[in-house]
Each structure stands twice: as C-alpha cells, then as structure tokens.
Amino acid sequence: MKITYYGHSCFSVVAGGKHILFDPFISGNELAKHINIDDIKADYIFVSHGHFDHMLDVVAIANRTGAMVVGGWELYGYFGKEGVKNVHPLNPGGKVTFDFGTVKAVIAQHSSSFPDGSYAGVASGFVLKTVDGNFYYSGDAGLSLDMTLIPKWADLDFAVFPIGDVLTMGVEDAIEAAQFVKTTRIVGVHYDTFGFIKLDKSEAIQTFKNAGLTLHLPDIGNSIDI
C-alpha cells in the first residue's frame, strides 16, 4: 500500500484502487505550506473527531473531489450542514463495507469538539480491511486496553499512531499500543506541528528499533510503500 504523509495527522493510503484520506489539516499547518490541497486526490475522507487540526480542509477537498466523508454521527450531521453532498455516518462499534473494503470504527480515548466548542461526538479510530492489506489508524488516541481487541478483527500490515505526547500517546505508549495490536510497522503522526508536541525523530526511531519495531516518519509530501 502507498502511504503519503501531508503533515500533522493527515495522510492518504491507496488501497483497493481508491485514495483514502484521513484527518485533513493542511492549509492551516505552517509545516505543510508547500502542499497544495487542490492537488490531493481523495475518494474517501475519514475524520476521527471534531478538533480543527483534523478537519480544517475536509469541506474544500470533499467538494472538489466528490469524496465520501465518513465520521461519527455528529460529524455526519456537521458536514451535511456545511454542504458536503456525500457523507456517511460511522460510530465506534459499527462497520461498513465500501468498494475498497470494510471499515470498522473503534473508540479512541480523546476529547472531541467542534471549532465553536460544541459537542462533536466521541473520538474514534478506524480499522480498514482491504484487498491490498489491513491497517489501523488510532486517531488521537491515548493508550487503552481497547486496542487489544483490534487483532481479533484484523491481522494488521501496519498501524498509524500519534507519537507527539501531551495531547495523545507518546513514543513509549505507542510502542505498547503496537504490541497490543500485534504489528511491527508503525507510521508516526501528530508531532512537531505545535510547540508542545515537538519530537526528536532520531531518538524516536531508535527507541522503536530497540523494541523490535519499525517506525516510519516520512517527510511531509513524501510517500512510502508498506
């Protein structure tokens, strides 16, 4: 599977012949100012929760591409009111089959609110089973024993975890999470964007390596194959 990183927690995966985009926050990210959101392909956009740094560019990208936006019930209602025509609800515990594969929403231990402070539902992560492989995006999660349930549903090729600490898991907890979900390949996100989530990349990669794991930290705009 081809994974492209767009900064913060935004990345895309090409699987089942579709471009699947997650948590687009690009135009407001100084570290991603070289990325033109009009160049981003998307057939589906998954939104983990309502914080601005995970949904800022959803409407613009969805309206340009016609992508289906998928998120919890409150997100489903919000984006519908914002004029997005192609929206699908998916709450934690539920699963839906699309043309690229099946997606199960799972709980993420994190807060969630819309930019105006109103309730945005519970935060979630997503487990995707596709013809090209399976992966788990935890969203902005804290370490939780709920993650031990993931491998009961899918044998993962990789997982995408936040590693910036303070607001989400840090490196140590992400290593534990990798062991919970039984994968050795991790793509790290949610770091460096703000001053309080700065990451020493070399140290993080070595710490994962010491635990027998591979941490991928692609540069913003770059792609890797897993």
Side-chain angles (χ1 to χ4, degrees):
M1 286 173 282
K2 180 181 178 182
I3 306 151
T4 303
Y5 183 51
Y6 293 112
H8 200 50
S9 290
C10 182
F11 64 99
S12 70
V13 177
V14 178
K18 301 298 180 180
H19 289 83
I20 309 166
L21 184 67
F22 295 84
D23 284 358
F25 169 70
I26 301 161
S27 63
N29 182 1
E30 278 295 312
L31 301 179
K33 58 186 177 182
H34 59 292
I35 303 295
N36 183 353
I37 65 170
D38 290 334
D39 294 334
I40 294 176
K41 297 179 181 179
D43 297 297
Y44 293 85
I45 302 173
F46 285 84
V47 184
S48 65
H49 63 291
H51 289 160
F52 78 98
D53 57 331
H54 292 258
M55 54 177 271
L56 180 66
D57 297 312
V58 170
V59 174
I61 296 174
N63 285 345
R64 176 179 57 81
T65 62
M68 176 180 285
V69 176
V70 183
W73 179 256
E74 289 76 12
L75 293 166
Y76 167 76
Y78 175 86
F79 288 119
K81 290 177 181 177
E82 289 294 307
V84 177
K85 302 299 184 185
N86 199 6
V87 191
H88 198 294
L90 183 59
N91 263 8
K95 65 180 184 295
V96 180
T97 297
F98 298 111
D99 53 3
F100 64 82
T102 301
V103 183
K104 186 176 182 67
V106 295
I107 197 69
Q109 295 295 336
H110 189 67
S111 58
S112 180
S113 58
F114 290 116
D116 65 0
S118 61
Y119 178 63
V122 296
S124 66
F126 303 102
V127 188
L128 287 81
K129 295 170 72 171
T130 82
V131 295
D132 295 316
N134 307 329
F135 64 95
Y136 166 45
Y137 169 46
S138 70
D140 272 12
L143 181 65
S144 168
L145 286 172
D146 290 332
M147 294 175 179
T148 61
L149 298 174
I150 302 298
K152 293 180 179 292
W153 191 69
D155 183 13
L156 301 179
D157 293 282
F158 68 93
V160 181
F161 289 144
I163 57 173
D165 220 328
V166 183
L167 300 175
T168 66
M169 292 188 289
V171 168
E172 295 80 4
D173 280 358
I175 288 172
E176 188 77 14
Q179 295 166 347
F180 282 177
V181 304
K182 298 182 180 179
T183 187
T184 60
R185 290 174 289 193
I186 299 91
V187 178
V189 298
H190 207 281
Y191 64 88
D192 281 359
T193 317
F194 311 116
F196 41 81
I197 57 171
K198 294 296 184 182
L199 179 74
D200 185 323
K201 293 184 182 180
S202 297
E203 182 179 348
I205 290 170
Q206 186 60 51
T207 303
F208 271 80
K209 185 176 181 180
N210 292 345
L213 307 172
T214 300
L215 174 64
H216 298 276
L217 298 176
D219 292 333
I220 296 174
N222 286 7
S223 302
I224 59 174
D225 291 306
I226 296 182

